[in-house]
Amino acid sequence: MSDQDHKIPRTVPIQSATFSNPINAEIRRAAATGIYDIRGGGAKRRVPHFDDLLFLGASVSRYPLEGYRERCDTSVTLGTRFAKNPIKLDIPITIAGMSFGALSAQAKEALGRGASAAGTSTTTGDGGMTPEERGHSSKLVYQYLPSRYGMNPDDLRKADAIEIVVGQGAKPGGGGMLLGQKISDRVAEMRTLPKGIDQRSACRHPDWTGPDDLEIKILELREITGWRVPIYVKVGGTRPYFDTALAVKAGADVVVLDGMQGGTAATQDVFIEHVGLPTLACIRPAVRALQDLGLHREVQLVVSGGIRTGADVAKALALGADAVAIGTAALVALGDNDPKWEDEYQKLGTTTGAYDDWHEGLDPAGITTQDPELAKRLDPVEGGRRLRNYLKVMTLEAQTIARACGHNHLHNLEPEDLCALTMEAAAMAQVPLAGTDWYPGKPGSGY
Amino acid sequence: MSQIDLANTSLRELNATLQAQKGGDNQTAWEILNPRGSHALAVGLDAPIEVTVKGHTGYYCAGMNQQATVHVEGSVGPGVAENMMSGSVIVEGDASQYAGATGHGGLLVIKGNASSRCGISMKGIDIVVQGNIGHMSAFMAQAGNLVVCGDAGDALGDSLYEARLFVRGSVKSLGADCIEKEMRPEHLDLLSDLLTRAGVDAKPEDFRRYGSARKLYNFDIDNAY
Ligand SMILES: Cc1cc2nc3c(=O)[nH]c(=O)nc-3n(C[C@H](O)[C@H](O)[C@H](O)COP(=O)(O)O)c2cc1C
């Protein structure tokens, strides 16, 4: 080598932003297997979210309420429109529908225990209602899904509310999947299918299509349950203005709107990452639909998809939601992705925080599994206690913010309490970019 | 025999009255007059009563039925006897789409024709159609028996699980993973029993049996579209 060679500056190795290591790894995986990647969880890519909003707090023109001392209510009533027995919750944070099958019976029991102790509701999922969750949930919402697995009128009449699932944020337009590994005898029997086969949940309801049919379906469910319980309609975030308006037109008491960060038990990665709207982008159009119909607050809006903290709760409510629902965060509270299982995550080829093969049934934390030995690792009583604590902390956090903004009920939070850190968030949430009085698309602003 | 006239009774009153009937009551026979295509008629019943509907109904007649016998002296709209658990529903006329959808048990007899998606996602119900059935019938059907005395439309039994399909006439086409299967003696017995219970005069030997090839049971990329 000559002296000259030593003097020529060299380029450093540069990784491609387009062909990144994860992308290349996926190309190699696809090339080796011929099958798309299936996983659990929600969108992992960064999208505009509640983190991109800030509360303004009190000032000369608005005075705060005394923390801890002055009352700041958190209760919410869902289903006031048509149901004889609306659901009264102490806190505006509910547990989202997650199926027995996807989750162990212990996990379902823990969710019921935690939610009940916190004064809120939990929700069944694809696969029907188990006695464990009915027994341990003071308020249980029964999902009515396209698959109708385990669907029966006795359970329907035991429910405190019915949630007609049109779609989910993780996979709007997609059905469900429960792979054979997770089909135990009990799961197979509840779903009337042979053990060990992959179970597909249809993406469309078998006996209705479109809003006019939905109206008649809702009538039927009300007639069967004597107009006693509220009927929710859950949609994935895609066309929130129209979906909300159509659900309301069809007679829903409550609209549940799930954004793309929302978790799932199992779906194609390409679906999770590339279909649907971020949660933040869903709320204002849905609220506008309710306002245009003169039914905001009369038909309640429950928002889900990436809710993690009391700040997220407060922001969703400030944008006009009546309540939120949590899925993934509740599982994390129970022990999902806990560092104490790191050795086992390593053996599964992953690491704490990244474990998402919930469909495989090998969950070290014993939550997304039907393996009796793994499932035993989760103590439903302890899990319930942890969930209650977590729900309590989120509520306290939301109250802290509401008081700082001068509100004596979480529902008094409003868009005027917020500003946005980015143009995208400002446009989606329709609140001013921090330090300005402008957001993209603001009426009269010319943009 | 008690009569309820929908010309002067609300749907809510009608259903509440029928739903309040208990097994031991004397009053077991009910007649519904002037149904005029109403939706959600006689839904959620849960007692061994007999209900006769004198005319045509709309969507979801006898939906989620348990124990009751519902006899419709007319034609029915979409989703008749959807998610039925037990009992029986007999339709004198024709049925629209999704007849017997997701039904878990009981017997649904349609004396006329049934439209598309008859027996979709059925989970244990027995359905006997004396006429023809439309396309995509028994789609994703999981369990139970579908008997068709006439012809079946396109894509019969697409993505079928364990339901058994018996057709006397022609089948326009079979759906993905649905194949013709051998009619063994136990199937002839089963069919004979179903035909008798449905009051149909037909010979089991004249039918052909269709079922799942079970090739879609575990995900295989070669089966994907
Ligand atoms: C393990 C798991 C199972 C789920 N199962 C169902 C289900 O059966 N039905 C349904 O409507 N949504 C289901 N979901 C979606 C949740 O109801 C909810 O929409 C979502 O989890 C909310 O987003 P988050 O996880 O970010 O809180 C499931 C989610 C998870 C994580």
Side-chain angles (χ1 to χ4, degrees):
Chain A
M1 210 179 277
S2 70
D3 281 357
Q4 190 68 15
D5 283 342
H6 282 289
K7 285 186 190 132
I8 298 174
R10 289 169 173 269
T11 57
V12 293
I14 298 176
Q15 300 281 356
S16 166
T18 308
F19 289 92
S20 61
N21 277 333
I23 289 281
N24 288 350
E26 171 52 20
I27 293 173
R28 285 187 290 273
R29 194 206 58 77
T33 62
I35 297 178
Y36 40 48
D37 184 35
I38 292 176
R39 67 171 177 88
K44 291 188 171 185
R45 63 154 81 215
R46 201 196 122 66
V47 292
H49 197 37
F50 296 120
D51 292 336
D52 302 315
L53 301 181
L54 294 175
F55 280 100
L56 298 173
S59 54
V60 178
S61 60
R62 300 197 171 205
Y63 59 91
L65 299 187
E66 186 55 57
Y68 308 108
R69 291 283 175 267
E70 282 183 288
R71 208 177 156 83
C72 177
D73 278 344
T74 61
S75 63
V76 60
T77 305
L78 301 177
T80 48
R81 187 185 186 194
F82 289 126
K84 274 186 211 143
N85 306 329
I87 292 202
K88 269 199 75 122
L89 304 177
D90 295 342
I91 59 172
I93 311 165
T94 65
I95 304 300
M98 293 182 276
S99 64
F100 168 68
L103 301 185
S104 67
Q106 286 91 330
K108 288 299 283 179
E109 179 181 333
L111 293 175
R113 284 176 180 274
S116 302
T120 190
S121 62
T122 183
T123 312
T124 67
D126 217 356
M129 183 190 285
T130 64
E132 287 96 330
E133 69 180 331
R134 178 60 281 186
H136 292 289
S137 309
S138 57
K139 296 186 183 72
L140 181 60
V141 182
Y142 187 42
Q143 284 201 330
Y144 189 74
L145 295 116
S147 74
R148 310 278 166 88
Y149 287 141
M151 166 61 221
N152 76 68
D154 294 331
D155 288 344
L156 196 70
R157 287 185 281 250
K158 279 185 211 145
D160 299 298
I162 299 165
E163 181 169 301
I164 301 177
V165 179
V166 177
Q168 263 177 258
K171 46 183 174 180
M177 237 179 302
L178 194 62
L179 298 190
Q181 303 89 298
K182 289 178 79 169
I183 313 295
S184 65
D185 287 329
R186 185 173 176 201
V187 173
E189 193 191 322
M190 277 180 72
R191 298 177 182 222
T192 329
L193 280 172
K195 196 182 166 191
I197 74 169
D198 296 343
Q199 295 192 351
R200 176 135 178 88
S201 299
C203 65
R204 238 175 32 220
H205 280 264
D207 58 356
W208 65 269
T209 40
D212 296 334
D213 284 10
L214 176 58
E215 184 171 351
I216 306 171
K217 178 49 78 180
I218 289 177
L219 170 72
E220 184 205 11
L221 294 173
R222 289 202 195 277
E223 282 294 321
I224 290 173
T225 52
W227 292 73
R228 282 183 301 274
V229 300
I231 298 196
Y232 305 3
V233 172
K234 175 175 179 175
V235 293
T238 58
R239 295 170 187 83
Y241 181 86
F242 294 107
D243 285 343
T244 302
L246 290 171
V248 170
K249 185 233 158 225
D253 292 304
V254 173
V255 176
V256 181
L257 188 53
D258 191 27
M260 76 175 287
Q261 297 100 313
T264 172
T267 295
Q268 297 93 333
D269 175 78
V270 70
F271 210 148
I272 299 175
E273 294 289 355
H274 297 276
V275 185
L277 290 187
T279 305
L280 188 63
C282 294
I283 306 178
R284 293 306 293 271
V287 171
R288 189 161 46 85
L290 293 171
Q291 286 166 340
D292 287 353
L293 293 164
L295 289 170
H296 187 218
R297 303 287 184 217
E298 191 172 335
V299 170
Q300 289 79 31
L301 177 68
V302 179
V303 166
S304 59
I307 305 273
R308 308 147 300 173
T309 62
D312 291 347
V313 177
K315 289 168 186 174
L317 266 46
L319 293 177
D322 295 273
V324 301
I326 57 168
T328 306
L331 303 186
V332 173
L334 297 188
D336 172 68
N337 269 293
D338 194 305
K340 77 177 174 193
W341 306 112
E342 178 60 19
D343 286 351
E344 298 195 39
Y345 290 135
Q346 290 285 337
K347 280 185 214 145
L348 294 169
T350 183
T351 186
T352 304
Y355 177 65
D356 60 12
D357 284 329
W358 296 346
H359 58 293
E360 289 182 345
L362 302 174
D363 186 356
I367 296 169
T368 57
T369 184
Q370 294 300 318
D371 179 312
E373 286 308 310
L374 288 172
K376 256 197 255 165
R377 292 183 180 182
L378 179 73
D379 172 3
V381 177
E382 168 64 8
R385 197 185 59 77
R386 294 176 60 87
L387 179 60
R388 186 209 56 197
N389 284 345
Y390 169 58
L391 289 168
K392 192 170 158 199
V393 170
M394 277 208 284
T395 307
L396 288 170
E397 287 175 343
Q399 283 174 303
T400 301
I401 288 170
R403 284 199 186 95
C405 296
H407 300 305
N408 63 2
H409 196 296
L410 293 183
H411 286 152
N412 295 342
L413 286 161
E414 53 192 343
E416 286 68 25
D417 292 318
L418 292 166
C419 68
L421 288 169
T422 66
M423 293 279 266
E424 289 85 351
M428 291 179 190
Q430 292 162 32
V431 299
L433 187 63
T436 78
D437 62 358
W438 175 83
Y439 59 83
K442 184 176 179 184
S445 72
Y447 296 97
Chain B
M1 166 84 67
S2 291
Q3 286 188 333
I4 303 178
D5 189 346
L6 272 173
N8 50 38
T9 311
S10 70
L11 178 71
R12 185 76 287 268
E13 260 178 89
L14 163 84
N15 281 325
T17 305
L18 296 177
Q19 288 164 0
Q21 303 308 308
K22 302 277 180 300
D25 293 357
N26 291 334
Q27 189 53 58
T28 58
W30 296 82
E31 227 172 50
I32 301 174
L33 308 178
N34 292 307
R36 294 177 183 164
S38 298
H39 305 310
L41 268 189
V43 294
L45 306 188
D46 190 10
I49 56 175
E50 291 189 20
V51 179
T52 304
V53 183
K54 307 289 261 184
H56 308 304
T57 74
Y59 281 56
Y60 309 131
C61 178
M64 301 202 198
N65 187 48
Q66 291 165 290
Q67 304 188 64
T69 301
V70 178
H71 199 129
V72 183
E73 294 182 354
S75 291
V76 291
V80 63
E82 68 89 15
N83 213 85
M84 173 153 68
M85 305 301 292
S86 62
S88 47
V89 175
I90 301 126
V91 179
E92 290 296 328
D94 299 320
S96 183
Q97 306 174 79
Y98 339 119
T102 78
H104 285 69
L107 174 68
L108 168 63
V109 179
I110 295 157
K111 298 202 174 168
N113 303 307
S115 182
S116 59
R117 298 185 167 80
C118 177
I120 183 171
S121 198
M122 56 193 271
K123 301 175 192 330
I125 189 177
D126 291 323
I127 304 176
V128 179
V129 182
Q130 297 197 15
N132 307 321
I133 60 171
H135 64 265
M136 289 298 273
S137 286
F139 176 59
M140 290 180 90
Q142 296 173 218
N145 301 291
L146 171 63
V147 179
V148 185
C149 300
D151 304 329
D154 266 321
L156 176 70
D158 194 287
S159 308
L160 190 64
Y161 292 100
E162 294 294 297
R164 297 189 198 90
L165 317 180
F166 302 96
V167 183
R168 184 163 67 172
S170 66
V171 172
K172 194 156 180 215
S173 68
L174 292 174
D177 213 31
C178 182
I179 52 170
E180 182 167 356
K181 291 192 164 180
E182 184 195 355
M183 184 79 99
R184 295 196 298 269
E186 71 261 30
H187 302 122
L188 289 171
D189 289 349
L190 175 78
L191 189 50
S192 160
D193 174 58
L194 285 166
L195 291 167
T196 310
R197 280 166 49 211
V200 180
D201 184 20
K203 287 209 276 302
E205 294 77 15
D206 293 344
F207 288 76
R208 297 163 88 157
R209 179 169 82 98
Y210 304 87
S212 176
R214 303 191 177 101
K215 287 201 179 121
L216 296 180
Y217 274 19
N218 288 96
F219 184 78
D220 178 345
I221 194 62
D222 295 328
N223 291 326
Y225 289 96

